[in-house]
Amino acid sequence: MKRIVFLDYVRVFACFLVMLVHASENFYGAPGSTDMAGPQSLLDTEADRLWVSIYDGFSRMSVPLFMIVSAFLLVPMKEGQNAMQFYKRRAVRILPAFLLFMVVYSTVPMIWGQIDAETSTRDLSRLILNFPTLAGHLWFMYPLISLYLFIPMISPWLAKASAKEERFFVILFFISTLMPYLNRFFGEVWGQCFWNEFHILWYFSGYLGYLVLAHYIRVHLDWSRAKRIFIGSVLTVVGAVWTILSFYIQAVPGQLHDTPTLELGWSFCTINCVMLTTGAFLLFTCIRKEETPRPIADLSNLSYGMYLMHILWLGMWVTIFKDNLRLPTVAAIPAMAVATFASCYIATKLLSVIPACRWMAGLPRIPSEKVAPAV
């Protein structure tokens, strides 16, 4: 199977955006939070308010883009492959490195005093239940694994579903992404109440919608390149402006904010994030290269390992650019993200050239250049 070139670009772009998100969070986390925002948020200045809104808001397409890439490559399952074969292949691909970094984040930060022995022991004892204290970014692995578990169930339907049937599912998914706003302004709706969270569109909501959307784009969307560029640009701009403003309007400097409320429009399954993600992905599908440039292919292959380790590097660059050099927010956030991205690339590249250590970088033991890797 020939490598899908534009997906390599998507993966590299999404990987960098994840780091841009987490760099930005250092400018609105309340005192006592880690490298990522905690339950409460506090912005110090108008500059923080503006640039966090722009950098972090625009980057909120990162996680959905990763979901779409995986679905684009893996759905439906290959003909003749059964569920257990699919699960085994996915488990071998992602679990060893994931479990390794769960242990790393539970222990290594003790070296520089970021956690104490009590926190380390508690994190290690709870690894089967959830991610460690300093590895909040690993939340992403749980919905990703959930999608993998569901792919064998939905593949038979997607293999025979018509464009109209899939489009109906996608429309219901889009409507479901209005729920955060409906709940904010109207309270419980469509069957929700204190003893029932399963609203009428529950089973069409969440990251499953991105999975079906990815399949629809790959199989049924026959738009011309010009149409994809136009509609993709409109969706990206509207989605980005909406997502940025949703934070900026609320983020008054000097006031302590409830983070879930402040980040309402930054939830990955809100209508504005879906628009932003869909538009950006459509634009990437317009890439018409025959082969992926070697640097992009290399970054794409290493992006899973880079994602897993990036919080280990981010703290150092926060100290350098924010605390020591005291760069203005407009420069500090991208500087931290770029430096973290480069550090992660160098580290995973070094691991990748050692056969016995490839799995630590999230790579298969046997290199494969045939297709863009699915994470």
Side-chain angles (χ1 to χ4, degrees):
M1 181 179 178
K2 188 176 180 181
R3 194 176 189 107
I4 303 175
V5 174
F6 81 87
L7 292 183
D8 286 319
Y9 285 90
V10 176
R11 286 175 61 79
V12 174
F13 182 64
C15 185
F16 176 73
L17 291 186
V18 167
M19 299 179 195
L20 195 61
V21 165
H22 293 147
S24 301
E25 290 187 4
N26 284 272
F27 287 85
Y28 70 94
S33 61
T34 63
D35 290 327
M36 288 177 282
Q40 293 184 308
S41 297
L42 179 66
L43 292 105
D44 293 330
T45 67
E46 283 292 341
D48 289 351
R49 178 189 191 184
L50 174 63
W51 294 110
V52 166
S53 299
I54 292 174
Y55 288 135
D56 204 336
F58 178 78
S59 300
R60 288 289 157 163
M61 69 176 90
S62 53
V63 166
L65 283 175
F66 274 126
M67 296 291 190
I68 288 180
V69 168
S70 289
F72 200 94
L73 289 165
L74 299 175
V75 181
M77 292 192 310
K78 296 178 181 179
E79 189 173 348
Q81 187 179 44
N82 60 41
M84 290 302 106
Q85 291 171 331
F86 177 82
Y87 292 151
K88 181 179 179 181
R89 187 175 180 85
R90 291 295 92 210
V92 169
R93 175 68 177 88
I94 68 169
L95 290 184
F98 172 47
L99 296 175
L100 168 69
F101 277 95
M102 292 269 277
V103 175
V104 167
Y105 282 107
S106 299
T107 56
V108 173
M110 283 195 297
I111 296 173
W112 51 83
Q114 197 170 9
I115 59 173
D116 55 25
E118 181 182 355
T119 301
S120 175
T121 301
R122 184 177 66 249
D123 284 348
L124 288 170
S125 69
R126 287 177 49 83
L127 287 188
I128 195 172
L129 300 175
N130 216 338
F131 51 80
T133 303
L134 295 182
H137 67 297
L138 295 184
W139 72 269
F140 164 76
M141 297 302 299
Y142 298 87
L144 180 69
I145 292 170
S146 177
L147 281 186
Y148 285 168
L149 291 172
F150 200 72
I151 283 175
M153 319 304 172
I154 200 171
S155 285
W157 177 70
L158 288 174
K160 64 179 182 180
S162 66
K164 184 176 181 179
E165 290 170 333
E166 286 192 43
R167 191 159 54 245
F168 179 65
F169 189 108
V170 170
I171 290 171
L172 293 181
F173 164 60
F174 271 63
I175 296 174
S176 78
T177 62
L178 294 171
M179 288 299 295
Y181 294 107
L182 292 175
N183 290 152
R184 172 77 170 270
F185 297 110
F186 301 103
E188 297 167 335
V189 297
W190 297 345
Q192 292 173 316
C193 56
F194 75 91
W195 47 265
N196 177 54
E197 60 186 305
F198 303 100
H199 55 80
I200 193 173
L201 294 179
W202 178 273
Y203 299 104
F204 296 90
S205 64
Y207 297 106
L208 180 61
Y210 283 113
L211 185 150
V212 178
L213 175 63
H215 184 267
Y216 180 82
I217 291 173
R218 181 170 69 86
V219 176
H220 299 297
L221 198 67
D222 58 357
W223 292 349
S224 66
R225 188 167 183 266
K227 187 173 182 179
R228 289 182 185 229
I229 290 174
F230 175 73
I231 295 181
S233 298
V234 171
L235 288 174
T236 301
V237 171
V238 173
V241 171
W242 185 341
T243 307
I244 290 167
L245 287 178
S246 71
F247 185 93
Y248 182 82
I249 291 171
Q250 302 179 84
V252 179
Q255 293 185 13
L256 198 61
H257 299 276
D258 175 60
T259 301
T261 301
L262 184 62
E263 292 186 346
L264 174 70
W266 284 4
S267 298
F268 299 114
C269 292
T270 51
I271 183 64
N272 47 288
C273 277
V274 173
M275 293 170 65
L276 175 60
T277 303
T278 304
F281 190 76
L282 286 175
L283 292 176
F284 274 106
T285 65
C286 297
I287 293 174
R288 291 289 188 266
K289 290 183 177 291
E290 290 294 324
E291 293 185 3
T292 306
R294 181 169 294 182
I296 298 297
D298 200 31
L299 285 166
S300 177
N301 289 336
L302 297 173
S303 60
Y304 179 45
M306 292 170 65
Y307 151 76
L308 289 173
M309 72 169 61
H310 78 275
I311 296 298
L312 293 173
W313 291 99
L314 179 61
M316 179 182 74
W317 295 114
V318 170
T319 299
I320 292 173
F321 290 117
K322 182 185 178 187
D323 300 334
N324 296 341
L325 297 179
R326 297 184 180 277
L327 293 184
T329 310
V330 62
I333 292 175
M336 288 153 51
V338 169
T340 301
F341 190 82
S343 301
C344 291
Y345 170 70
I346 293 170
T348 51
K349 185 64 176 179
L350 291 174
L351 289 173
S352 73
V353 300
I354 306 172
C357 297
R358 287 177 57 83
W359 66 275
M360 298 180 189
L363 293 169
R365 289 187 178 275
I366 301 175
S368 174
E369 300 295 334
K370 294 183 178 180
V371 297
V375 170

